[in-house]
Amino acid sequence: MEPENDMQPPWRVLKLVVPEMVSDSLQGILLEMGALGLQIIDDETRSIPDHEVPPSDQAELLSTFSNEEGLEARVMARLGAVFQQIPGCESIEVSWHDLFHEDWVAEFKSHWQPLQLGKNIYVIPSWHEASYRLGSPTDLPIYLDPGMAFGTGLHATTALCAEALQAHLEQSPIRQLLDVGTGTGILSIIALKLGAQFALGTDIDPVAVHNALENAAKNEVFDHFEANDKLPDQRGSVHDVVVANILFKPLIGLAPHIAQSIASGGTLYLSGLLQSQESDIRDAYEAQGLSHVRTATKDEWILVQFEKR
Ligand SMILES: C[S@@+](CC[C@H](N)C(=O)[O-])C[C@H]1O[C@@H](n2cnc3c(N)ncnc32)[C@H](O)[C@@H]1O
């Protein structure tokens, strides 16, 4: 058999070492350029409870891209233009390396630790399931195997959506959740574990659809979950709650389909958006007849809530 390193790597990883103040803006741009995953190592992730670690004000952004022809030229041309516009980008370190499947799994497993979302939700990598012990009987563990799908709970936008769904379920039930851009299925699984009756996850990535179904089975909510790659309004206006954590551009394109999928009186939570995109996203969804309710913020990311009257 050929040694693996003679083969084309499936992914290339771009490493940027950047001033922390520009980290959130760059994360949005990297995702827009097609990054499949982002790993962020900054003062927050480096901190150790009860130990003082001097702040570095530097963040490392590791973004994984499919290894397609012309990738580096395309990404570097866009970043070059962005670096000129954002103050603080003069001294950014840039490097690229190959990523093979085995490396990715090993790398991911070494970094991904259990993490808390919302009040009492703990996202546990499935390989920690056997050794994980609940801290309190009210803890809600969600076991996820991320495969290559996005949605590990590590991103601020996933946390914003999980918190919104938990707060929603404390006020009123969810009968038919639609989770657009389901990724690992994390948001559907959290909602179902917290009492939602049914969830439909959709994703344009077939790997994500498969991974979400597997994770639903792992968390014993499979009977209440379906996933496919169809448009959000595939079942008509039946969903009392819709959550879509994608990115600005696809959310603009999907606006008529998402608006159409919501039942009268229903709620929409949109995330994957930067603060600078709030007014454009509000315009696009208000033009579909939805009313803005509130906007929540975490770092530079936002969640925008609408209702359909
Ligand atoms: C940021 S991830 C969110 C994953 C998960 N829902 C979470 O909150 O962590 C966005 C997901 O949206 C999917 N996606 C991107 N564009 C889409 C589109 N037009 N329709 C449906 N899904 C899309 C991606 O494949 C990816 O799995």
Side-chain angles (χ1 to χ4, degrees):
M1 205 169 83
E2 296 270 304
E4 184 177 64
N5 283 353
D6 285 351
M7 287 158 50
Q8 278 278 29
W11 303 291
R12 294 275 290 157
V13 178
L14 169 65
K15 177 177 167 186
L16 299 175
V17 184
V18 307
E20 202 152 330
M21 63 180 181
V22 301
S23 167
D24 282 330
S25 313
L26 286 175
Q27 288 170 40
I29 291 163
L30 290 162
L31 290 168
E32 267 179 22
M33 284 193 291
L36 299 167
L38 261 183
Q39 188 192 335
I40 301 136
I41 304 167
D42 57 15
D43 287 336
E44 196 179 331
T45 59
R46 279 187 286 255
S47 69
I48 305 164
D50 302 327
H51 283 75
E52 196 134 317
V53 180
S56 70
D57 294 326
Q58 293 268 301
E60 269 178 46
L61 306 181
L62 294 155
S63 30
T64 306
F65 291 87
S66 274
N67 185 17
E68 76 218 7
E69 210 174 318
L71 170 73
E72 283 180 38
R74 174 175 70 81
V75 171
M76 294 317 297
R78 171 89 197 276
L79 281 181
V82 167
F83 290 170
Q84 284 184 351
Q85 284 164 10
I86 307 182
C89 289
E90 302 78 18
S91 57
I92 287 182
E93 286 173 37
V94 182
S95 57
W96 287 87
H97 63 264
D98 292 339
L99 184 65
F100 289 93
H101 189 258
E102 286 74 4
D103 301 337
W104 184 81
V105 173
E107 166 86 356
F108 197 86
K109 287 191 171 184
S110 72
H111 283 102
W112 201 31
Q113 295 299 322
L115 102 155
Q116 185 177 359
L117 275 183
K119 289 184 190 154
N120 59 337
I121 303 160
Y122 289 85
V123 181
I124 319 293
S126 53
W127 52 91
H128 284 295
E129 183 171 349
S131 58
Y132 182 71
R133 298 281 168 273
L134 292 183
S136 130
T138 57
D139 285 358
L140 181 66
I142 307 285
Y143 299 104
L144 286 190
D145 181 349
M148 267 309 282
F150 187 107
T152 56
L154 292 172
H155 201 266
T157 58
T158 310
L160 281 166
C161 293
E163 283 160 20
L165 289 171
Q166 185 163 34
H168 189 109
L169 280 155
E170 283 169 2
Q171 300 296 321
S172 39
I174 298 180
R175 283 178 295 279
Q176 295 266 353
L177 175 71
L178 173 66
D179 172 15
V180 186
T182 192
T184 52
I186 182 169
L187 297 176
S188 291
I189 294 169
I190 287 173
L192 290 166
K193 284 283 186 189
L194 290 172
Q197 288 169 24
F198 177 82
L200 169 65
T202 66
D203 205 294
I204 46 166
D205 178 358
V207 176
V209 171
H210 180 79
N211 186 240
L213 289 165
E214 276 185 347
N215 285 324
K218 209 182 296 288
N219 288 280
E220 296 169 355
V221 293
F222 191 76
D223 291 347
H224 304 266
F225 180 68
E226 285 175 33
N228 63 44
D229 60 359
K230 296 185 193 152
L231 280 168
D233 49 352
Q234 57 185 274
R235 295 188 181 169
S237 309
V238 298
H239 301 282
D240 49 342
V241 176
V242 177
V243 62
N245 179 18
I246 316 186
L247 281 175
F248 177 73
K249 273 193 197 151
L251 285 176
I252 293 287
L254 287 170
H257 300 286
I258 288 181
Q260 178 63 26
S261 71
I262 308 167
S264 168
T267 302
L268 170 64
Y269 299 104
L270 294 182
S271 195
L273 299 160
L274 291 163
Q275 284 183 42
S276 56
Q277 297 164 333
E278 181 180 358
S279 78
D280 287 343
I281 207 80
R282 279 182 60 171
D283 288 350
Y285 279 77
E286 281 165 2
Q288 299 295 331
L290 303 181
S291 309
H292 176 253
V293 177
R294 70 175 179 114
T295 298
T297 307
K298 211 179 209 70
D299 305 326
E300 282 187 32
W301 297 94
I302 53 169
L303 168 138
V304 192
Q305 179 181 342
F306 296 89
E307 73 177 357
K308 189 173 189 176
R309 295 221 168 94

